[in-house]
Amino acid sequence: MVLRPGTNAGALVTLELTVGPAAHGGHCVARHDNRVVFVRHALPGERVRARITETRSRYLRADAVEVLSASPDRVAAPCPYAGPGRCGGCDFQHVTAEGQRRLKTQVVREQLVRLGGLAESEVADVSVSPLPGGPLGWRTRVRYAVDDAGRVGFRRHRSHEVLPVDRCLIAAPAIQDSDVTGRRWPDASAVECAAGAEGVSVLAVPTEGRAWLVAGEPEVVERAAGRVWRLPPTAFWQVHPAAADTFAACVLDLLDPRPGERVVDLYGGVGLFAAPIAERVGPDGEVTLVESDRAAAAAAKAALADLPQVRVVRGRVERLLGRLTDLLDLAVLDPPRTGAGAAVVEALVAVAPRAVAYVACDPGALARDVSTFRAAGWRLAEVRAFDAFPMTHHVECIALLTP
Ligand SMILES: C[S@@+](CC[C@H](N)C(=O)[O-])C[C@H]1O[C@@H](n2cnc3c(N)ncnc32)[C@H](O)[C@@H]1O
């Protein structure tokens, strides 16, 4: 059967497919008519009947709607909103927790090889580790969309349409127990919930203008790395409750900061990495945190006020890096999903710190930046990967790069 290009062009067409390996983005790869088919809701090795959802000249997208021969990793999705054409938030509700980690391990290795230029043998020991807690009830930050009737929900996969939900099973228990899904939100386009150590803050976000606090405190309290932070509900904080401690310990372990060293913490947020690093470098060392968000930078200044060796600089890394990096020993890079980019990596490499810890929420962006490091003569010394986002295709990697 030949399918012509266009979104939903093949919506009524189903194909029988043998499903191949996982690919980045929450789907697996199959083949039909010499084209790649990205199949959601399937697993490697399965035989499925798949409904085509999008037809392009070089690839198709499809949803497995019937499983003809199931993988041993397949389970019944615990969430009633998961499945073909339904909530776009989770990708792997139909997979065991161990199976999800195997899929993510495969994707991280594949990205490092294909985009990072590493040999298969160099990534053979990369594997995704679990964080404490199960695959449900971990999400401490939830942004609900609001439909035309004022009900909260999540967007369907690759759609603007909101699927109303009465409960999100991956949300932290305090968010599930709040009354957000039971209420109507006629004046909001989104509702944001942040569950900190001392309660849930809820913000209603209008289409235009400022968000307003609906419940809880204007500052969320978080504890990690032996410290307390007070931050606005919208400031970045690691979403999984075990992530902040785990990642801070991992960055310290990989970089091994020594007394008196000079460190930059780029995309530093509220200072999760800057604080423990500052304690290690001590009063003779220096830690410069660069963060563009005004509220996050202010929260970092307040939380790290007892560490005079920390300097918080508000601004964009791309603009400030050139002025900050003379005499640098170590760097942390924790950019948003798009990655740091070649210009930032090249500016960092030019001042030759002895090591860089790269914290990445997108293995594709990490792999592209690793290839820039490698082109400059650096090597990827180690990668540790964590399943900080169970049920979704997302995965966190922390890489050590050395000259
Ligand atoms: C992935 S978060 C990491 C925050 C922090 N390292 C942590 O783990 O809590 C990325 C941070 O970079 C900030 N950011 C985004 N783009 C930036 C830029 N161009 N320059 C500086 N900071 C930026 C965001 O506001 C956010 O706080």
Side-chain angles (χ1 to χ4, degrees):
M1 183 182 311
V2 177
L3 292 161
R4 307 256 169 253
T7 302
N8 287 328
L12 298 175
V13 175
T14 61
L15 303 171
E16 240 183 76
L17 299 169
T18 299
V19 181
H24 190 23
H27 39 230
C28 295
V29 177
R31 296 212 149 253
H32 171 74
D33 195 21
N34 285 328
R35 268 187 287 185
V36 167
V37 190
F38 294 114
V39 197
R40 283 173 62 78
H41 312 288
L43 276 165
E46 288 188 332
R47 185 88 188 141
V48 299
R49 197 178 305 285
R51 184 173 59 216
I52 303 299
T53 54
E54 201 175 316
T55 308
R56 302 278 167 191
S57 55
R58 292 177 50 214
Y59 65 88
L60 308 171
R61 292 184 190 276
D63 282 345
V65 289
E66 189 184 343
V67 181
L68 306 172
S69 117
S71 157
D73 284 332
R74 181 172 281 275
V75 289
C79 175
Y81 302 107
R86 312 208 70 204
C87 177
C90 288
D91 312 284
F92 294 147
Q93 288 260 348
H94 61 289
V95 191
T96 62
E98 303 74 29
Q100 293 180 33
R101 293 197 293 274
R102 275 195 291 277
L103 296 180
K104 296 184 196 195
T105 294
Q106 196 180 327
V107 167
V108 172
R109 290 181 189 172
E110 183 265 341
Q111 296 284 293
L112 288 171
V113 169
R114 194 164 57 80
L115 303 176
L118 285 118
E120 301 268 356
S121 57
E122 291 175 285
V123 298
D125 60 355
V126 174
S127 98
V128 175
S129 309
L131 291 184
L136 299 175
W138 54 268
R139 198 171 181 100
T140 62
R141 301 293 187 275
V142 175
R143 183 182 174 93
Y144 294 99
V146 177
D147 75 0
D148 291 342
R151 297 170 300 187
V152 296
F154 298 107
R155 299 198 190 280
R156 296 178 193 274
H157 184 62
R158 295 177 69 77
S159 163
H160 292 298
E161 192 189 335
V162 177
L163 173 71
V165 303
D166 60 5
R167 183 175 289 274
C168 170
L169 293 181
I170 64 170
I175 294 179
Q176 292 193 42
D177 293 346
S178 74
D179 66 350
V180 168
T181 55
R183 292 170 61 172
R184 294 291 172 112
W185 302 86
D187 301 322
S189 61
V191 178
E192 292 189 357
C193 301
E198 295 180 2
V200 180
S201 296
V202 180
L203 290 180
V205 184
T207 312
E208 280 175 24
R210 289 170 68 88
W212 69 95
L213 187 71
V214 177
E217 300 299 322
E219 284 184 330
V220 178
V221 178
E222 298 285 4
R223 297 195 184 93
R227 306 182 75 79
V228 177
W229 274 266
R230 292 175 196 283
L231 53 144
T234 49
F236 181 90
W237 184 259
Q238 300 293 344
V239 166
H240 191 290
D245 270 330
T246 307
F247 298 170
C250 178
V251 165
L252 272 193
D253 190 40
L254 290 174
L255 286 184
D256 190 22
R258 299 166 198 159
E261 285 193 317
R262 293 181 174 208
V263 187
V264 285
D265 179 10
L266 303 176
Y267 313 92
V270 298
L272 173 66
F273 304 127
I277 290 173
E279 285 164 9
R280 285 280 192 93
V281 300
D284 296 332
E286 197 178 290
V287 180
T288 305
L289 179 158
V290 182
E291 165 59 43
S292 61
D293 181 71
R294 187 182 297 276
K301 256 186 199 154
L304 278 53
D306 60 316
L307 297 165
Q309 63 272 43
V310 176
R311 182 164 59 124
V312 176
V313 180
R314 193 185 76 77
R316 298 183 65 77
V317 168
E318 308 81 305
R319 291 190 47 216
L320 291 167
L321 188 56
R323 281 189 262 153
L324 293 173
T325 47
D326 53 329
L327 294 177
L328 191 63
D329 297 301
L330 295 169
V332 181
L333 270 179
D334 185 6
R337 291 192 65 70
T338 44
V344 167
V345 171
E346 281 159 8
L348 199 51
V349 161
V351 284
R354 70 172 173 83
V356 172
Y358 191 133
V359 183
C361 59
D362 180 18
L366 170 66
R368 280 189 294 276
D369 285 338
V370 163
S371 109
T372 309
F373 274 104
R374 284 164 47 86
W378 279 50
R379 67 183 272 269
L380 179 62
E382 192 172 342
V383 184
R384 298 186 195 167
F386 301 95
D387 193 4
F389 313 94
M391 299 295 196
T392 78
H393 72 273
H394 298 285
V395 55
E396 192 84 14
C397 296
I398 306 187
L400 177 66
L401 292 132
T402 53

